[in-house]
Structure formats: structure tokens, C-alpha cells
Amino acid sequence: MDQEPRPGGPPAAPDPAATADGGPGAGPPPSTGTPRTVGVVWGLLVLNTLGSAGAKTIVPLPRSLIQLVTMGALVAAFTLALVLNLRLRVRPSAYVLLLTLLLVPSLISSLQLESGLGALFRCARLTLFVATLWLLTRWWDGGTTFVRHHIRMYFAVLGSVAAGALVSPGAAMPELYGGRLVGALWPLTPPQIGQYAAVIIGLTVLLVLGRRTDRTSAAVVIVPSVVLLALTHTRTATLGLLIGLVLAIGSLVLTSAAARRFFTWTVLVAVVAAVGFASALRTWFLRGQSQENLTSLTGRAKVWDALLAAPRSTGEELFGVGLGDKSFGGLPIDNSWLAVYHEQGWTGVTLVAAVFAVLGGVALLRPPSLSRACAIFLISYCAIASYTEAGLGDASPYLLHLAVAASLLAAPTAPSPLTAAPGTPLATPLTTSVTRRRQRHVPRWARD
């Protein structure tokens, strides 16, 4: 999908179409100064957040082995990031700072060992995760570099899901999950697959509108991802994708003719689909559930009511019970806000709310651009998914999505003299001195 100049080659000529009509191409260009190894670090972070719980795979994988691989990936990511940034040059980031502050209630509550020794292990994992993000902030410049890394890595994950479905369709769509698509090579649940598919679909659509990729490359990503999303029957991911794209494209409508055309055609297609395929869409949305089951959010509401009704001490109200597996009474919480309240207390809830307030506020203050639109999509998607998915208080794909949004909202770095564009003469002490003497020189006739 990249259309960036080759290292050492001549600089790419600016694309007139990319900045026509004041479109999203007028934003910061893709960064070309980021080492390729940064993409490897990002891929290792993605691997770490895939988790170890899910459906049964074709080849049984012990959970201890999966945890060893995921934790090894995090250690490798931190080590590589440290090698790339030995001088520990970091950029100020309110997002990563808030994640650092989130470590405080996590550690205070985990030291009580109410959630067992696993709470301290999860604290160490979150600390290493946040430290790696700090090291990567050096390359956060408002460009789409990390967007491309994000799409590549999650598209590779979806490729493994598609390969598992082709090798063993029965294992990929078991009856245990109601025939929904799961990971048959790596244990992935339908909500996970739906989340990855929805995120890369939305980001790729925005790259096409911003003329940062061609339509053929985008179709290679979007078409199979849409198929996988439909096979997962994930309602949260679908709604998050649709609402996130509406908000993101809406931020470009006033400045981009391409965004206006896409928005108009999307509305027309949506109206026709709603009228002509209403029954099919309703059947897909219900997933064979009763109206009562749908109202209770597939039993989630009962867990939420029990969690809120449970007695708590003052310390547990403030700092929670420690990092756990995002469950209560043996059942998954499936709500980021209640999971943070349970494990990190009101302090954690306040910090997570501050993350959305800061990122959302910065995005609203930025001028219209492709980077701003991608950030709005990621922020809105995570906010919508937080209602039925957990993960905002611990190392998870949602924190990676928000990290990409933070990189998109970072102010572009000013080029240093040693990194000036090819063909631009560098300023040296000698040339500077000569220039100053010429500026101070006054012709004889003028002095006379």
C-alpha cells in the first residue's frame, strides 16, 4: 500500500491530486525518516495483545506456550525500541503520560494481592508496554506511518484467520460460538476478529479518500476484511466501524470533494440496503437470539448489576482490587469502564476518561486533514466498543488504537539542518559568516 520514495532515491514529486480542492492530502505527508525496525516493534506489540484465550485451534496450543510467546514478544519489542532509541529521546505525549499515571492505582491495588500474584505480573506487563510506547514517541510526527504499520500487522492476523478457515472450516466456525468465525490457527474470539477487521477497513477507506494509496491495494485489504467481519457477526465492531467512518468523513466534508462524494454515495447505498434487505439485516443482527436476550446484551447486564451491587471498601472504591482477567464471579465483565472501576477504582476511571477527553479535544482543535480524520475514527471506535468490550485499563489492542491516534495528533517535527531535503544547501559556520559579511557590506557609492 505504500507509495513512499525509496531510500536513497530521488525525492518523490508532490501529487497534485493529493492536495486538490483542499482535500485531506493537504495534511502532514507520510513520514520517511522512521526506521523500518519500528514496524517490527509495532508488530511485536500487536502480537503481545492478541491474548491467550479463545477457541480451540486445529493444532492444540498450550496456554503456557501462548503466554510465553506473547510475553516474549513484549520483551523483544521493548529491547528493540531501546536499541533504536539508546539516547532515550522521547516526545511529550499527554496520552502516554496518562497511561503512566494509570500504573499508580494499578500497582497500589495489585500489591494487596486480592487478585493473586497474577496482578503483579500484569502490572509488570503494563509497565513494559507503556515504556515501549514512550520510546516510540520519538517517531510520532503526525504522519500516517503508524497507520500503515497498524494495517499491515492486523491484516497479517486476519490472514491467519482466513487460512484457518480454509484449512478447517469446522474448527473455524464451531457450534460453541454459534457458527461465528474464530481463529483456528491462533486462539482468537469473534469479537477480536471483528475488531481487527473493522479498524483496518476504516483506516484503509480513509487512506483512499486522502489519496495515500491506490484503489487496487485498498480493495485487497477491504474486501476480505469485510467478508471476515460479516462471518464474525460482531455487532459492536460493525456499529463502531459505521459510526466512526461517519464522524471521520464528516470532518473532511467541508474541505474534500472526494469525501463529499463518498459520503453521498454511502448514504444512498445505505438507504437502498435498509429498504431492500431489511429482513436479512435484522436476522444477521439478532444472530438467532431472542429479543429479551438482546435487551440484556447477551447476559452482560446481569454481570454488570452484580458487580455494581457488590460491597467495597474505601480503598477498593478508589484503587480497585488489582489487575485481573477482566471477569467478576467467573463471568467476563465485557465493559471497559466497569472493568477499570473493578480493577483500578474511580482513580482509573478518571484517568481513562481523561484519555478520551484529551485526545478528543486535540482532534477537534486540529484543522481538517487526513491524520485528524484517522484519529477521530480510532477515538470514536474505541469509545463505542468500550461499552461491550474490556481493555482500556490494561495492555490491549484498544490502547494500541489510541496510541496510533496520539501519533496522528502529534505536532510535526521541524526538520533539522542535517535532515534537510535533497538539493537544499546546508547552512555551515563558513557560509553563515560569509552571508553576514555580505549583508553588512555597504557599497562605496552609498557611503559617499
Side-chain angles (χ1 to χ4, degrees):
M1 294 178 59
D2 290 344
Q3 294 180 334
E4 300 175 2
R6 297 179 179 177
D15 185 357
T19 55
D21 63 41
S31 175
T32 57
T34 305
R36 292 183 180 273
T37 315
V38 171
V40 178
V41 175
W42 198 258
L44 292 171
L45 289 178
V46 169
L47 177 58
N48 172 255
T49 56
L50 292 182
S52 58
K56 294 182 180 180
T57 56
I58 299 174
V59 179
L61 299 175
R63 186 173 183 182
S64 57
L65 175 62
I66 297 175
Q67 291 176 336
L68 179 64
V69 171
T70 54
M71 278 306 301
L74 179 58
V75 174
F78 174 76
T79 304
L80 280 178
L82 187 60
V83 170
L84 291 172
N85 195 0
L86 283 175
R87 296 185 179 181
L88 302 181
R89 294 178 178 175
V90 299
R91 296 195 64 186
S93 172
Y95 170 69
V96 187
L97 176 61
L98 290 171
L99 291 186
T100 306
L101 296 177
L102 189 62
L103 291 171
V104 177
S106 304
L107 184 60
I108 292 176
S109 57
S110 298
L111 286 175
Q112 305 299 323
L113 298 180
E114 292 188 31
S115 299
L117 292 175
L120 295 178
F121 175 80
R122 293 183 178 92
C123 276
R125 177 190 176 216
L126 181 59
T127 302
L128 209 59
F129 182 87
V130 174
T132 306
L133 291 182
W134 270 121
L135 294 172
L136 293 179
T137 56
R138 175 182 177 181
W139 295 281
W140 291 6
D141 56 2
T144 58
T145 300
F146 284 88
V147 172
R148 297 177 185 276
H149 291 327
H150 215 54
I151 294 174
R152 291 192 195 104
M153 299 309 153
Y154 281 117
F155 187 68
V157 174
L158 294 181
S160 70
V161 174
L166 293 175
V167 172
S168 179
M173 289 184 283
E175 290 297 329
L176 179 63
Y177 285 88
R180 301 168 66 190
L181 182 65
V182 299
L185 298 181
W186 185 276
L188 296 174
T189 60
Q192 285 180 280
I193 300 172
Q195 175 197 163
Y196 306 153
V199 167
I200 68 174
I201 290 170
L203 292 177
T204 306
V205 167
L206 293 174
L207 287 182
V208 173
L209 292 179
R211 299 182 178 90
R212 296 292 172 81
T213 187
D214 58 273
R215 296 182 180 181
T216 303
S217 300
V220 171
V221 174
I222 294 175
V223 173
S225 299
V226 169
V227 174
L228 295 180
L229 175 60
L231 292 177
T232 61
H233 284 242
T234 308
R235 294 176 293 223
T236 301
T238 305
L239 291 176
L241 169 63
L242 297 177
I243 297 175
L245 276 180
V246 167
L247 295 176
I249 297 174
S251 69
L252 298 172
V253 165
L254 296 179
T255 59
S256 171
R260 289 192 291 271
R261 289 193 297 268
F262 183 85
F263 188 81
T264 303
W265 280 106
T266 302
V267 171
L268 292 176
V269 171
V271 171
V272 172
V275 174
F277 304 96
S279 59
L281 292 174
R282 177 179 173 82
T283 302
W284 182 90
F285 191 79
L286 288 176
R287 294 194 319 227
Q289 298 175 343
S290 63
Q291 190 68 32
E292 180 181 358
N293 199 10
L294 180 63
T295 304
S296 65
L297 296 174
T298 321
R300 291 185 177 95
K302 298 179 181 179
V303 180
W304 299 348
D305 293 339
L307 186 150
L308 293 174
R312 294 176 181 272
S313 63
T314 303
E316 291 174 346
E317 287 281 349
L318 291 176
F319 304 111
V321 300
L323 293 182
D325 58 357
K326 312 298 177 287
S327 65
F328 180 79
L331 297 174
I333 297 176
D334 285 341
N335 181 289
S336 286
W337 301 99
L338 291 179
V340 171
Y341 167 71
H342 178 60
E343 297 183 354
Q344 291 139 312
W346 284 113
T347 306
V349 172
T350 303
L351 291 172
V352 172
V355 166
F356 282 99
V358 169
L359 292 178
V362 173
L364 292 177
L365 294 175
R366 287 282 190 271
S369 66
L370 174 63
S371 296
R372 176 184 183 239
C374 291
I376 289 175
F377 169 76
L378 291 170
I379 296 168
S380 57
Y381 180 88
C382 291
I384 294 168
S386 67
Y387 185 66
T388 57
E389 298 290 336
L392 289 178
D394 206 346
S396 69
Y398 292 106
L399 293 191
L400 286 182
H401 301 334
L402 294 176
V404 174
S407 74
L408 290 165
L409 297 174
T413 55
S416 62
L418 295 180
T419 59
T424 304
L426 299 180
T428 63
L430 178 60
T431 57
T432 303
S433 177
V434 172
T435 302
R436 289 177 178 174
R437 285 201 301 270
R438 289 176 177 175
Q439 290 175 348
R440 290 196 301 265
H441 175 69
V442 180
R444 183 183 299 276
W445 64 268
R447 292 199 300 268
D448 295 339

